[in-house]
Amino acid sequence: QVQLVESGGGLVQAGGSLRLSCVASGRTFRRLAMGWFRQAPGKEREFVVGISWRGGTTMYADSVKGRFTISRDNAKNTVYLQMNSLKAEDTAVYYCAATGGAVVVSGDEYTYWGQGTQVTVSS
């Protein structure tokens, strides 16, 4: 079992920045590929970004490329999502997810999920 706890969400003005954190416990974090997903009201959950367990492979949704950066610190069992140049359309609940496989876009491939953290961007 893996427990994931996100933090760092909040209210920010358009153009601002936030950094989300996700702390994992319960299983060797280093062997887990991690992903961030988001779900806006009335919309389906969507992939945002993912990182392989070594950190050598990252994947970004086109909508966040150049604005969001994912990183991880395996010594701290933590994955980060740095979000810059935020837009109103980034408003959503952001979820951290983990998989023992490769980093992928499909949420169905992720076994463990956090409870989510709300990000609200005011325009």
Side-chain angles (χ1 to χ4, degrees):
Q1 283 291 338
V2 175
Q3 293 77 44
L4 302 174
V5 179
E6 304 99 333
S7 63
L11 174 65
V12 64
Q13 290 187 334
S17 298
L18 281 175
R19 188 175 81 155
L20 306 183
S21 299
C22 173
V23 179
S25 61
R27 177 179 161 175
T28 304
F29 177 74
R30 287 176 294 178
R31 295 292 181 179
L32 297 173
M34 304 295 295
W36 286 96
F37 291 77
R38 66 187 181 187
Q39 187 166 21
K43 295 187 177 181
E44 293 186 353
R45 182 184 63 197
E46 64 174 351
F47 172 83
V48 177
V49 61
I51 188 167
S52 61
W53 72 269
R54 283 177 170 154
T57 300
T58 56
M59 298 175 64
Y60 291 87
D62 288 342
S63 60
V64 306
K65 282 181 181 177
R67 300 188 298 122
F68 290 12
T69 303
I70 190 171
S71 61
R72 65 188 296 160
D73 184 340
N74 288 343
K76 296 182 178 180
N77 288 358
T78 302
V79 62
Y80 304 98
L81 179 61
Q82 178 66 43
M83 305 186 294
N84 298 329
S85 302
L86 282 161
K87 305 175 181 179
E89 50 263 44
D90 294 318
T91 295
V93 177
Y94 283 70
Y95 298 91
C96 174
T99 175
V103 59
V104 292
V105 172
S106 173
D108 293 341
E109 300 299 318
Y110 289 79
T111 306
Y112 307 104
W113 292 82
Q115 293 300 307
T117 185
Q118 176 71 47
V119 171
T120 302
V121 184
S122 63
S123 56

